[in-house]
Amino acid sequence: MIYSKEVELMCPVAKGAKHEPAPIPEEGKWVHAKQIGDISGFTHGIGWCAPQQGACKLTLNVKEGVIEEALVETIGCSGMTHSAAMAAEILQGKTILEALNTDLVCDAINTAMRELFLQIVYGRTQSAFSDDGLVVGAGLEDLGKGLRSQVGTMYGTKAKGVRYLEMAEGYVTGIALDENNEVIGYQFVSLGKMTDFIKNGDSPNEAWEKAKGEYGRVADAVKIIDPRKE
C-alpha cells in the first residue's frame, strides 16, 4: 500500500463505532453481506438492447455467490436468440460479480444481468423469505410442461381492428367474433404439445387435432377468422 506524504504525517485515530452493512433477506435468513459468497437468491429480470429492438428475460438461481441455474428468454431480435445460446453456456458456474463483468454477447442480456445483480445483492429476490431458497431446476417451472416460453403477440390497426397471433396457450388459429364483430374468444394449437405428440409416434395431422384448444365463447361465435389471413 502506498500512502501520500500527507497521510504518512497524520497521527492515527482509532475507529470507534462498528457499523455493519444493512442485513438483507436471503433464503429465509437475514444476512450481513460482506463478500460475493454471502449472496444467495432466485430471481427474474428484464433487459433491453441499445436501440430497444429486443428484450431479454433472465432468470438466475444463485447459491453462495455462484450462478447454479440460468434461464435466458429473448424476443424481438433474431440475433439475440443466438446470443442467448452462448449466454446460457457462459453464465452457469460464474459468480454474480464475474457475470456482471462478462460480455454476455447481447446488450439486452447484459442489461438483464445488471438489473438482476442489483436485485440479488439488495435482497429483492423471489426466494428472500423461502427457507433454503429454491431448488436448482426451479427456473424451468415458468416454462410449464412443454418447456416453452410464454409469449403473447398481438397486432392491431385502427382500420381493421385487433388480431391475436400468439397466446400463452399457443399459436392462435382462429379469432371468434360475435354479431358486432367483437372478439369473444379464440382457438389455438399448442405447438409444444403437438411436437411431443409427433415425437411419441402420432402423425402430424393427429398431433394437430390433439393439440387444439379454445378459450372464451367460441361456441357462440357468428364467425371465426384466421388472424393471419383475414
Side-chain angles (χ1 to χ4, degrees):
M1 188 75 70
I2 299 175
Y3 297 97
S4 69
K5 192 67 176 177
E6 290 80 3
V7 173
E8 287 183 347
L9 294 174
M10 290 178 181
C11 64
V13 176
K15 180 180 178 180
K18 182 182 180 183
H19 192 62
E20 291 280 352
I24 62 174
E26 289 185 25
E27 301 190 340
K29 301 182 295 290
W30 289 96
V31 178
H32 294 276
K34 299 178 182 178
Q35 53 191 2
I36 290 297
D38 295 331
I39 300 295
S40 295
F42 178 97
T43 197
H44 316 272
I46 302 296
W48 54 94
C49 60
Q52 289 81 47
Q53 180 177 325
C56 166
K57 177 189 173 188
L58 181 61
T59 302
L60 297 180
N61 198 348
V62 178
K63 303 289 186 183
E64 297 180 351
V66 176
I67 297 171
E68 296 288 347
E69 176 185 15
L71 172 65
V72 189
E73 300 174 84
T74 61
I75 191 169
C77 172
S78 58
M80 193 189 300
T81 63
H82 296 85
S83 300
M86 297 180 69
E89 194 168 346
I90 291 168
L91 282 165
Q92 20 95 6
K94 284 187 176 291
T95 69
I96 55 171
L97 184 58
E98 284 182 290
L100 180 68
N101 289 288
T102 297
D103 182 5
L104 300 175
V105 191
C106 167
D107 282 349
I109 305 173
N110 286 321
T111 303
M113 182 63 229
R114 180 193 71 199
E115 297 303 307
L116 260 69
F117 181 88
L118 294 175
Q119 290 181 34
I120 294 168
V121 298
Y122 285 123
R124 270 66 167 180
T125 64
Q126 277 85 341
S127 60
F129 298 102
S130 301
D131 287 343
D132 299 321
L134 300 183
V135 299
V136 175
L140 294 178
E141 293 179 4
D142 272 8
L143 300 181
K145 293 180 180 178
L147 297 185
R148 286 172 57 86
S149 296
Q150 296 186 61
V151 177
T153 307
M154 314 299 158
Y155 177 74
T157 61
K158 181 180 177 183
K160 299 296 184 179
V162 72
R163 297 295 186 276
Y164 300 170
L165 301 174
E166 188 93 18
M167 287 284 192
E169 300 95 335
Y171 178 95
V172 177
T173 58
I175 302 177
L177 305 179
D178 64 10
E179 62 275 7
N180 299 317
N181 280 340
E182 294 180 356
V183 178
I184 58 173
Y186 55 89
Q187 298 171 323
F188 62 87
V189 170
S190 172
L191 297 180
K193 290 181 179 179
M194 179 180 171
T195 304
D196 287 340
F197 289 141
I198 293 172
K199 287 193 297 184
N200 290 331
D202 289 346
S203 71
N205 286 338
E206 289 173 331
W208 174 270
E209 292 299 324
K210 288 170 69 173
K212 281 183 176 180
E214 60 184 44
Y215 182 83
R217 296 187 293 116
V218 176
D220 298 332
V222 172
K223 61 180 174 180
I224 295 176
I225 63 170
D226 182 333
R228 291 169 174 80
K229 294 183 178 180
E230 298 176 78

